Amino acid sequence: MQLIIFTGVQASGKSTFYKHYFYDTHLRINLDMLKTRHRENILFEAALRSKTQMVIDNTNMTIHDRERYMQRAKDADFDVISFYFETNLESTLHRNAQREGKANIPEQGVKATFYKLQKPTSAEGFDALFKVKLIENDGFSILPVND
């Protein structure tokens, strides 16, 4: 079984990437939809117990953010895989400005998230790490990371 943890600032392509690559195979756990950590935890624990493959589609910018999932998944015999969405602040702010309604995050919030980044490393316990970059026409470049 797999737990995939996305790491990336808002508007870096995480949810679109999920739809392209994991929609048919992995449950999506996302705080934007669930609204509270309590709800997220209930769904996460149920997926672990039922051996359901899943993607954590949150920003997960710090080691602390990611470790809340890591050990529990390892204890349940899941492989834990990181997908880091590399972007620069200028392009992120541009993509965010194109969003409408609640999907548009205030610029200050995007910047605050961007500057908190601690890139995922194998030292955290990941079984595999990948770097993802957006390319033209909603495409993605996916490269393995060997740190």
Side-chain angles (χ1 to χ4, degrees):
M1 292 296 93
Q2 285 183 337
L3 168 65
I4 295 173
I5 300 177
F6 287 173
T7 298
V9 71
Q10 302 94 330
S12 61
K14 297 181 306 297
S15 295
T16 302
F17 186 81
Y18 169 81
K19 291 172 190 169
H20 278 73
Y21 292 95
F22 298 110
Y23 180 82
D24 292 327
T25 59
H26 291 66
L27 173 69
R28 179 177 177 230
I29 297 179
N30 177 281
L31 272 174
D32 290 341
M33 296 182 323
L34 295 170
K35 306 293 185 212
T36 69
R37 287 280 181 203
H38 177 71
R39 289 178 180 160
E40 179 194 54
N41 191 52
I42 290 170
L43 190 55
F44 181 68
E45 289 296 330
L48 289 176
R49 277 190 238 109
S50 64
K51 302 294 185 194
T52 300
Q53 298 195 119
M54 64 188 125
V55 171
I56 305 297
D57 180 9
N58 296 327
T59 59
N60 297 308
M61 297 301 277
T62 67
I63 294 168
H64 177 73
D65 293 334
R66 297 183 291 269
E67 71 186 7
R68 81 182 65 205
Y69 312 106
M70 180 71 70
Q71 192 57 55
R72 291 187 290 169
K74 291 287 190 177
D75 290 346
D77 294 322
F78 277 67
D79 289 329
V80 184
I81 300 168
S82 169
F83 282 85
Y84 162 59
F85 291 76
E86 186 176 72
T87 187
N88 62 56
L89 185 56
E90 181 181 334
S91 64
T92 298
L93 290 173
H94 176 74
R95 283 189 304 277
N96 185 60
Q98 308 305 310
R99 294 171 149 194
E100 296 181 8
K102 290 183 180 184
N104 183 289
I105 308 298
E107 185 174 314
Q108 187 99 353
V110 173
K111 287 180 177 179
T113 302
F114 186 85
Y115 291 121
K116 285 189 344 186
L117 173 64
Q118 295 173 323
K119 290 182 183 178
T121 67
S122 58
E124 293 176 59
F126 289 107
D127 295 293
L129 293 105
F130 296 91
K131 178 173 63 175
V132 179
K133 283 187 175 184
L134 279 169
I135 55 177
E136 291 182 25
N137 300 320
D138 281 339
F140 297 94
S141 165
I142 307 163
L143 298 170
V145 175
N146 298 315
D147 60 347

